[in-house]
Amino acid sequence: MASFDSFIPPPSFVSKTPQQIHDVFLSFRGEDTRYTFTSHLFAALSRLQVKTYIDNELERGDEISPSLVKAIEDAKVSVIIFSENYASSRWCLDELVKIMECRRNNGQIIVPIFYHINPTQIRNQTGSYAQAFANHETRFVENMSKVQTWRFTLAEVANISGWDCLTTRMESELVEQIAMDILQKLDSITSGGLERRIATYKKIAQQKLEKSLKTGTLKDMEEFITSLHQLADLKLEKALRTDDSSVWDDLMGTYERIVRLKQEKWVRTHNSKDMEDYMATREHAMQIQREQSVRKMGLRGI
């Protein structure tokens, strides 16, 4: 079997127990996204070995449970999937208030995702959100301070930079991009982040290689090249921090493979843009090789 690097064991899904250890908490409206977007994102995070808490309870009491509160408090990142009916759930709104409390008190990272809904609708509570709050104001007429807290918190979160699913792109690609963004945010606050990202991209490159060899299509070949580029960027970041020749040799090995693949692609397409891409990548690889040489002499180039 062809191998890019040694295989990494597949991740195990995090079971929902009060004692579980997790890095990410998912807040979502079950009836909107539980079996679609949210499940796909959970699967993507699991493939990246990101421990993620997902609440699979279909029925709840009047208040969110202590175990759910603790799950939010224990997370380093909370991902909020705003959907059409998110604000109709008082439990989602209570989760949101707790998440923002953790952001203020503990510096928890928040990643808003606007799933087929405009952020301004959330910020200004219009459309379905206006109807949701009309219902809340009727139900909680004696506790309007709670409703106002929900309103304020929604507006606050909607102003945080997030992911807009209204843009024209394939949802499968979007989910992978969001998962990688979450992984990188986690790596920025945990030790060993760069090594973890390199290991993750090695796994991705391995998967792309296997698919490319199986299908032989140009599209899959391009995806493999892209994954190698992403891996090479991380290896370059690592190499620039050290003079260890083995690290630089590993980096050069990846770039040499990219150059060979781009040459093969050019031969297959006879496209002038592919030729230019191949030549530019070869020149970049040569530049890195020169940097490796000057570092061996105790100098610095790049």
Side-chain angles (χ1 to χ4, degrees):
M1 176 180 291
S3 176
F4 171 75
D5 211 317
S6 57
F7 279 106
I8 299 173
S12 57
F13 284 78
V14 178
S15 61
K16 182 183 180 297
T17 63
Q19 293 80 28
Q20 73 181 37
I21 298 172
H22 59 275
D23 294 317
V24 174
F25 178 87
L26 296 181
S27 177
F28 61 98
R29 182 70 167 110
E31 68 180 37
D32 285 354
T33 67
R34 180 183 301 278
Y35 301 113
T36 54
F37 184 87
T38 297
S39 64
H40 298 155
L41 179 59
F42 180 77
L45 289 168
S46 297
R47 286 194 295 272
L48 294 176
Q49 300 180 335
V50 175
K51 296 181 176 65
T52 305
Y53 187 102
I54 183 168
D55 178 23
N56 287 316
E57 295 294 334
L58 298 179
E59 296 183 7
R60 294 180 178 177
D62 290 335
E63 304 290 338
I64 59 175
S65 67
S67 63
L68 198 60
V69 170
K70 187 175 188 308
I72 296 172
E73 292 174 340
D74 289 346
K76 298 181 178 69
V77 176
S78 278
V79 179
I80 304 158
I81 304 170
F82 289 114
S83 56
E84 187 73 14
N85 298 299
Y86 185 92
S88 67
S89 167
R90 62 164 297 179
W91 300 287
C92 286
L93 295 173
D94 282 342
E95 284 178 6
L96 194 64
V97 171
K98 182 62 183 179
I99 288 168
M100 289 303 289
E101 177 187 316
C102 290
R103 181 177 190 250
R104 287 189 292 269
N105 297 339
N106 309 324
Q108 185 177 103
I109 296 172
I110 294 180
V111 180
I113 299 173
F114 305 102
Y115 184 71
H116 295 180
I117 191 166
N118 196 305
T120 58
Q121 183 176 333
I122 300 167
R123 189 179 303 115
N124 301 323
Q125 282 116 56
T126 59
S128 61
Y129 280 56
Q131 181 59 53
F133 273 94
N135 295 337
H136 291 319
E137 287 174 354
T138 299
R139 181 178 180 186
F140 299 101
V141 66
E142 296 182 358
N143 193 2
M144 291 302 294
S145 61
K146 175 185 280 289
V147 178
Q148 289 304 315
T149 298
W150 290 340
R151 284 189 179 277
F152 176 80
T153 304
L154 273 172
E156 190 178 5
V157 178
N159 281 313
I160 299 174
S161 177
W163 291 86
D164 185 358
C165 298
L166 287 174
T167 56
T168 54
R169 66 179 111 184
M170 291 184 63
E171 187 169 294
S172 59
E173 295 177 359
L174 178 64
V175 164
E176 295 296 334
Q177 290 174 13
I178 293 173
M180 287 305 306
D181 177 58
I182 294 168
L183 175 63
Q184 290 172 10
K185 283 179 168 59
L186 280 171
D187 287 342
S188 70
I189 58 175
T190 58
S191 59
L194 182 57
E195 292 295 341
R196 180 181 178 184
R197 287 162 65 192
I198 288 174
T200 297
Y201 273 100
K202 281 183 178 179
K203 178 186 175 185
I204 293 172
Q206 172 68 47
Q207 293 170 343
K208 299 295 185 182
L209 169 62
E210 294 295 330
K211 185 178 180 183
S212 177
L213 291 175
K214 182 178 180 179
T215 66
T217 65
L218 189 62
K219 179 178 180 296
D220 288 332
M221 180 184 184
E222 290 170 343
E223 289 185 0
F224 177 45
I225 292 173
T226 297
S227 67
L228 284 181
H229 261 300
Q230 293 167 333
L231 176 60
D233 287 344
L234 293 173
K235 287 186 176 182
L236 177 58
E237 183 180 344
K238 178 181 178 180
L240 290 173
R241 301 178 183 180
T242 181
D243 293 331
D244 187 334
S245 59
S246 65
V247 174
W248 283 87
D249 289 342
D250 182 41
L251 170 65
M252 284 308 306
T254 302
Y255 266 105
E256 288 166 2
R257 186 162 198 181
I258 293 171
V259 170
R260 289 196 302 271
L261 285 167
K262 288 195 172 183
Q263 183 179 30
E264 180 184 337
K265 181 185 175 186
W266 169 38
V267 170
R268 288 178 63 177
T269 65
H270 301 288
N271 187 301
S272 60
K273 288 186 178 180
D274 288 334
M275 180 192 69
E276 292 170 2
D277 187 29
Y278 158 64
M279 297 296 289
T281 304
R282 189 176 69 170
E283 175 57 34
H284 185 52
M286 292 172 63
Q287 181 184 3
I288 293 173
Q289 194 169 41
R290 288 192 292 269
E291 173 64 15
Q292 181 183 16
S293 298
V294 298
R295 282 175 178 257
K296 286 181 179 179
M297 295 185 290
L299 304 173
R300 291 292 185 273
I302 296 176

